[in-house]
Amino acid sequence: MIEHLRPNLRALADHYGILPHYIDTAGVRRETTDATYVALLECLGSDASSEEAAARALTALEARARERLIEPTKVLRTRASTVSYTVRVAPLSTGAWRWSLEVTEESGAQHQASGRGTVRDVSLTLRSGVRLPHGYHAVRLELQNGHQTLTATQHVIVAPVSCVPFSQRTHGKRLYGLIANLYTVRSEQNWGAGDLGDVDRLVRWSATVGASFVGLNPLHALRNRGWDISPYYPISRLYRNPLYLDVTAIPEFHESDAARALIGTTDFVESLIGTRTAEVVQYESVMKLKTRALRALHQVFVEQHAQEETDRWRAYRTFCRAQGAPLEAFAVFAALDDHMVSEDGAPPDWRAWPDAYRDPRSPAVVEFRERSAEDVDYHRWVQFEIDRQLAMLAGLADSEGLPLGLYGDLAVGSSPGGCDPWVFKDLFVSGASVGAPPDDYAAGGQVWGLPPLHPHRGAEDGYRYWRLLVQNAMRHFGALRIDHVMGLFRMFWIPDGLSGTEGAYVRYPADDLLGILALESTRHGTLVIGEDLGTVPKGLPATLARRGILSTRVLYFERNRHGEFRPSNRYSKRALVSASTHDHAPVSGYWEGRDLTLRRQAGSIPTDAVLELARATREADRTALVDRLRRERLLPEATPDASAITTAVHRFLARTPSPLVAISLDDLAGETDPVNLPGVHPDAYPCWSRRMHLTLKRLEDRPIAHESLVALSARSFRRPPNSQ
């Protein structure tokens, strides 16, 4: 039974954008309860425990609104815009006012405008006549009436109407690419986890088979120890994981005999053999090896480049200046995190650090930064080198003729114990987690353990965090997938201690966030793909299309109400299509029901009886898939095996009118186990650490892989070099 909603509570919730209901995947309307409203409003800093408390909170909000002349940020979606305002002036401040505007463009150019006006209906209209180009600008407003002087500042962001259109970025061609869970990649060269050296090989291979991009999982910074290994649970989305560095590609490696000798010592070689032959990624062991080498190489960098101020040193300083305070804060956090591990036995995160270190601006942190300058510099240098290697790979992809080059992935949130909530503490909400509402996949909903971003505070500083996030995510990437793109419009918040069935959606300033996304997409030439699966509001794909963002379509979910697989010609013309995702079994595993067996072993399928029902459903799915593939004459009448199904699925995807097709390395390799079982504890299944069985070299030589890629390039995709 739905609780009666109190009017003040409801008004306060409306102010913060807490939605009163949503429609689930079954078409059922789910109402937000009073208890959920109260809990979420407490997270947002408002007491709504009673109607009286909610009324006081509303009064305080209204008072703050009256005191504000103009909003802190204005995002305009146009080719160019004239700055003008209607300024709210207090009722007692009537009469004639003199006003002046100082506008500073991103380029540094300045404009002034001034005038006089009379307050009408407690507002004053100002028209500057200043037209601003796309970019990030600043406005300072001053009002005077002889008795009062009022001032205010505002960030003005002028953005394109949409992100880079795919027709412009792909020149109207349909493209396909290879998608890798990089950490799972096995090769003769990497140290037990896939790295950027493997990406080099993938780029070169892609060029020979007519592929147009190489897609990667999020490369965000992780702790790489314990359970902190999910690429979707990073300590920072702004910076990247040193796990992926190709140590042997670092210039200092070739400048130092001592550094090369280090990795040839007996103990190092024995450890390296262990990580390379392990069945699962040994994150902590791999990072111990890489850290030993990287520390030595950083010392070489300081001695040979910093002291002599070489071109490499100047490039490093340029990178540090461009990244500024956020990079410095990340480096300090990483050094502190290392220090706390060695000193106190690995506290779980910064919330368990001594109080003096929980504020990045505290005297204790400042003193630590000065005392540990070498360690801080090491972490800055690591980020510089990752950026350099990615730039080299982007250049390689361009020279090899891959139209989109690298395809990146932006996770939906950051770990609550990570760097981002430590540095940008005011932006992250405590007391709640983002997640997903109940659906067929998770009847109790999903609690992801990621702290929500406050929906209003980002505007206070011109959305600085979001700007940095998008800028760094797009550097060196021709395409960017945004995980859970609906999070730009609304996020599902679940109060701590409650289940996924007791959450509610909270609205975000989508127009502003999408404007910044469009501006950076245009500047970087980066195509944007939104992951819009699951419980999404009606019309979201159309909204994404208007904003120049491609949707995502996955074979497993493209079904009609009768359970039949959708014909290839009925797929979206504005989407990236794939067979599966990182949360689902590869095609071979799906066909064999391997994911069902694993879920039963892990306990997410609770009983053998439920397992049998799931297997019966899967058998019906198999029959429906075979029927669709045979209707399209992609599968012979003989009983197919997993390899035949995989090849037919790839041919099917190639037939769709969708502009981008993503082919997973796991499918090419015939992998059966998923890299992740959602909702399953790492003790029960090695989520995010399952390695591929084949090395890249063996994969390239695998006949079924070659057959699938030839089938793709033979259609309307880019042909490989020297193809007939």
Side-chain angles (χ1 to χ4, degrees):
M1 182 175 178
I2 303 302
E3 301 175 29
H4 176 68
L5 293 175
R6 301 162 2 212
N8 289 334
L9 174 66
R10 179 63 175 272
L12 191 59
D14 285 345
H15 168 82
Y16 282 106
I18 304 174
L19 301 185
H21 64 268
Y22 68 92
I23 307 299
D24 69 13
T25 53
V28 176
R29 178 186 173 108
R30 294 183 179 261
E31 304 285 345
T32 302
T33 65
D34 283 4
T36 297
Y37 274 131
V38 170
L40 292 182
L41 287 167
E42 183 180 359
C43 296
L44 290 161
S46 284
D47 179 8
S49 56
S50 66
E51 274 296 88
E52 293 76 14
R56 288 192 297 271
L58 283 168
T59 299
L61 289 172
E62 291 166 359
R64 284 199 292 272
R66 287 195 298 270
E67 293 169 0
R68 175 168 272 168
L69 289 176
I70 53 178
E71 292 302 311
T73 298
K74 176 185 288 190
V75 180
L76 303 170
R77 304 291 298 275
T78 180
R79 296 186 183 278
S81 181
T82 301
V83 180
S84 61
Y85 298 96
T86 297
V87 179
R88 182 182 177 85
V89 182
L92 296 179
S93 303
T94 56
W97 284 77
R98 182 174 181 81
W99 59 268
S100 64
L101 284 172
E102 181 180 82
V103 183
T104 304
E105 292 187 22
E106 184 178 8
S107 65
Q110 289 192 324
H111 311 274
Q112 284 80 34
S114 59
R116 293 179 179 274
T118 301
V119 174
R120 298 178 183 276
D121 298 325
V122 305
S123 66
L124 178 67
T125 299
L126 321 175
R127 302 190 186 281
S128 71
V130 177
R131 292 183 65 81
L132 294 174
H134 291 158
Y136 302 101
H137 316 294
V139 170
R140 184 181 185 276
L141 166 66
E142 183 175 287
L143 297 175
Q144 290 183 321
N145 72 348
H147 305 288
Q148 278 184 292
T149 299
L150 304 176
T151 61
T153 59
Q154 184 180 70
H155 301 271
V156 176
I157 302 171
V158 182
V161 174
S162 73
C163 297
V164 172
F166 74 87
S167 57
Q168 174 184 324
R169 191 63 180 81
T170 67
H171 304 292
K173 297 180 180 179
R174 298 177 64 245
L175 307 175
Y176 94 90
L178 306 181
I179 300 290
N181 297 299
L182 184 55
Y183 49 93
T184 73
V185 169
R186 195 185 291 265
S187 71
E188 293 85 353
Q189 291 77 35
N190 73 44
W191 291 15
D195 61 28
L196 297 179
D198 296 320
V199 178
D200 182 294
R201 181 156 192 159
L202 282 171
V203 168
R204 295 178 192 275
W205 184 38
S206 295
T208 68
V209 295
S212 297
F213 59 89
V214 172
L216 305 172
N217 57 272
L219 304 182
H220 306 316
L222 305 176
R223 279 197 169 88
N224 297 309
R225 60 177 183 263
W227 295 324
D228 286 345
I229 59 173
S230 167
Y232 296 94
Y233 197 75
I235 60 171
S236 177
R237 292 191 289 166
L238 295 175
Y239 296 102
R240 297 190 168 105
N241 192 348
L243 180 84
Y244 296 117
L245 270 175
D246 179 0
V247 173
T248 62
I250 298 173
E252 287 75 36
F253 182 80
H254 303 284
E255 298 170 359
S256 170
D257 293 338
R260 291 194 301 277
L262 171 66
I263 68 171
T265 59
T266 301
D267 69 314
F268 199 100
V269 170
E270 289 177 350
S271 297
L272 192 55
I273 291 172
T275 57
R276 280 177 170 166
T277 57
E279 286 302 307
V280 297
V281 179
Q282 304 287 336
Y283 284 85
E284 193 164 357
S285 297
V286 174
M287 274 314 303
K288 282 181 179 178
L289 292 173
K290 290 204 170 185
T291 299
R292 285 178 63 186
L294 290 171
R295 288 281 185 179
L297 295 177
H298 174 249
Q299 188 62 39
V300 174
F301 173 76
V302 171
E303 292 172 355
Q304 297 190 14
H305 293 280
Q307 293 180 7
E308 298 179 15
E309 296 191 2
T310 62
D311 288 345
R312 180 160 163 80
W313 168 255
R314 285 189 286 273
Y316 169 63
R317 298 308 304 166
T318 298
F319 174 78
C320 291
R321 282 194 298 270
Q323 291 294 311
L327 174 61
E328 179 73 11
F330 173 80
V332 171
F333 176 89
L336 257 174
D337 201 49
D338 291 344
H339 172 75
M340 294 297 177
V341 168
S342 62
E343 292 291 315
D344 299 324
D349 56 53
W350 64 267
R351 296 169 297 177
W353 292 354
D355 289 348
Y357 295 98
R358 297 183 191 179
D359 183 347
R361 294 164 291 277
S362 73
V365 172
V366 172
E367 190 274 333
F368 173 85
R369 182 180 65 213
E370 294 171 352
R371 185 178 75 246
S372 307
E374 183 178 341
D375 289 338
V376 173
D377 187 67
Y378 163 76
H379 287 289
R380 284 195 300 257
W381 172 79
V382 165
Q383 291 302 315
F384 161 70
E385 180 57 26
I386 298 172
D387 187 78
R388 187 194 71 86
Q389 291 194 12
L390 284 170
M392 296 291 289
L393 289 168
L396 174 66
D398 185 60
S399 67
E400 292 287 339
L402 274 64
L404 284 185
L406 301 181
Y407 164 116
D409 196 347
L410 179 62
V412 70
S414 302
S415 162
C419 177
D420 290 359
W422 184 70
V423 176
F424 300 92
K425 197 172 299 181
D426 291 343
L427 290 183
F428 287 85
V429 174
S430 60
S433 166
V434 296
D439 56 23
D440 292 339
Y441 198 71
Q446 299 177 50
V447 182
W448 298 336
L450 302 168
L453 284 166
H454 197 290
H456 298 161
R457 289 180 184 159
E460 296 296 328
D461 64 357
Y463 297 104
R464 178 168 171 257
Y465 177 72
W466 175 242
R467 285 159 56 179
L468 287 168
L469 190 58
V470 175
Q471 288 164 358
N472 282 359
M474 289 184 174
R475 278 172 63 87
H476 315 309
F477 286 86
L480 179 68
R481 171 189 180 271
I482 298 182
D483 190 40
H484 198 68
V485 72
M486 190 178 66
L488 302 182
F489 299 84
R490 67 184 196 183
M491 289 289 285
F492 195 69
W493 290 25
I494 303 155
D496 289 353
L498 300 184
S499 72
T501 63
E502 299 170 282
Y505 276 105
V506 179
R507 187 167 48 246
Y508 280 78
D511 283 345
D512 290 0
L513 301 178
L514 290 168
I516 293 167
L517 186 66
L519 177 57
E520 295 301 333
S521 168
T522 301
R523 287 184 164 183
H524 289 83
T526 302
L527 186 64
V528 179
I529 300 105
E531 186 269 298
D532 53 345
L533 306 173
T535 306
V536 298
K538 186 177 181 180
L540 179 63
T543 300
L544 295 180
R546 288 195 300 273
R547 304 292 191 170
I549 301 172
L550 292 181
S551 286
T552 300
R553 294 293 177 267
V554 175
L555 171 77
Y556 296 164
F557 306 139
E558 289 296 290
R559 317 280 283 273
N560 64 22
R561 59 190 179 89
H562 302 296
E564 298 170 333
F565 281 86
R566 192 184 307 279
S568 59
N569 62 7
R570 297 293 301 277
Y571 272 62
S572 171
K573 295 180 180 179
R574 297 194 56 87
L576 174 140
V577 297
S578 64
S580 64
T581 75
H582 58 264
D583 283 334
H584 304 92
V587 173
S588 290
Y590 177 86
W591 180 254
E592 296 172 3
R594 175 65 175 163
D595 55 322
L596 303 180
T597 300
L598 293 172
R599 287 174 58 198
R600 176 68 185 107
Q601 292 173 357
S604 66
I605 292 180
T607 67
D608 288 342
V610 175
L611 174 62
E612 288 309 308
L613 286 174
R615 284 175 169 163
T617 300
R618 180 62 57 83
E619 183 56 35
D621 293 342
R622 283 164 42 112
T623 300
L625 179 58
V626 167
D627 180 64
R628 171 48 53 203
L629 296 174
R630 283 181 174 157
R631 284 190 183 190
E632 306 218 5
R633 299 183 179 181
L634 296 172
L635 198 65
E637 290 300 321
T639 303
D641 59 13
S643 293
I645 288 292
T646 300
T647 299
V649 162
H650 289 162
R651 289 173 173 168
F652 175 84
L653 295 177
R655 281 191 173 182
T656 68
S658 301
L660 297 181
V661 174
I663 303 299
S664 167
L665 284 191
D666 283 347
D667 287 334
L668 293 176
E671 296 290 344
T672 58
D673 292 3
V675 295
N676 181 46
L677 288 179
V680 172
H681 196 276
D683 279 346
Y685 182 76
C687 296
W688 313 114
S689 58
R690 185 272 286 153
R691 300 183 72 193
M692 296 183 69
H693 289 90
L694 299 180
T695 63
L696 284 182
K697 185 177 186 307
R698 289 180 61 196
L699 175 59
E700 291 172 13
D701 296 335
R702 189 169 188 253
I704 189 68
H706 180 75
E707 186 178 347
S708 286
L709 298 180
V710 167
L712 285 163
S713 60
R715 296 189 181 276
S716 56
F717 298 103
R718 189 178 70 91
R719 296 296 183 91
N722 302 319
S723 63
Q724 298 299 317

